[in-house]
Amino acid sequence: SALDLAKELYNLSCMTFGKEHLDTVKVLPRISQIYWELADKCEESGDEVSASYYEAKAILTDPMPMYESAYKHILTLANYAEFFYNTGDISRAKEIYEDIYAKCSRDFGEEHFATLESAHYLGMFYLDSGDPEQAIKIFDKLYSINCKTLGEKHTSSLESLNNLAMAYNNLQNYQNH
């Protein structure tokens, strides 16, 4: 199967290059994508989806590689969180988004792009799930860091400012109802 071949490639890459070598790390998104597709095709048991997610998560975060390709890992895990959100498992989605952010903060530091990207996903989750106060905290922090590191006119800073404005707008809408 595709999964067996991808796992074999990963194991051979680990033996040849080492677990944290860039060529080995590049295999991980392929494995996760296969798990995602398997979970996506699963129509019956939530346990099967859960097992796929946890196996992919173990592969991706044991330990989280310290390379710029971490973005692909964040995106893959964010896709899992979005899957759970879209299927109504909001608490699991929240757990995944918060876990991604915590690990990136710990492993990369607050100003690393991987941490900022994971914070963006977490902020958007809070915004979409009806918690604009938490979204404001995240987007305000993102905006400050982006302005400090990239400048006020950088597209990432402007996107953070736009998201912050949306969160304040949502907060106002919730308070008026």
Side-chain angles (χ1 to χ4, degrees), residues 41 44-45 122 135:
K41 290 177 185 175
E44 16 175 303
S45 166
L122 180 60

Side-chain angles (χ1 to χ4, degrees), residues 33-48:
Q33 184 61 36
I34 292 167
Y35 278 114
W36 172 254
E37 290 169 4
L38 290 172
D40 198 30
K41 290 177 185 175
C42 174
E43 295 179 348
E44 16 175 303
S45 166
D47 292 336
E48 287 183 51

Side-chain angles (χ1 to χ4, degrees), residues 70-134:
Y71 172 76
K72 292 179 182 176
H73 306 300
I74 293 165
L75 186 58
T76 300
L77 290 173
N79 284 338
Y80 284 109
E82 184 178 352
F83 172 79
F84 289 117
Y85 181 84
N86 290 335
T87 57
D89 195 343
I90 307 302
S91 63
R92 183 168 298 168
K94 180 180 179 186
E95 174 188 323
I96 295 167
Y97 283 122
E98 288 176 344
D99 190 48
I100 296 168
Y101 177 67
K103 281 187 169 72
C104 286
S105 295
R106 181 195 68 218
D107 293 348
F108 300 120
E110 288 294 318
E111 294 181 1
H112 191 275
F113 87 94
T115 305
L116 300 175
E117 188 69 16
S118 65
H120 168 79
Y121 283 114
L122 180 60
M124 293 306 293
F125 166 79
Y126 286 135
L127 193 60
D128 293 342
S129 63
D131 193 350
E133 290 176 347
Q134 285 296 106

Side-chain angles (χ1 to χ4, degrees), residues 157-174:
S157 300
L158 297 174
E159 180 182 14
S160 297
L161 182 59
N162 182 60
N163 291 337
L164 183 59
M166 285 190 320
Y168 272 111
N169 185 52
N170 283 8
L171 180 62
Q172 184 179 9
N173 289 340
Y174 285 117

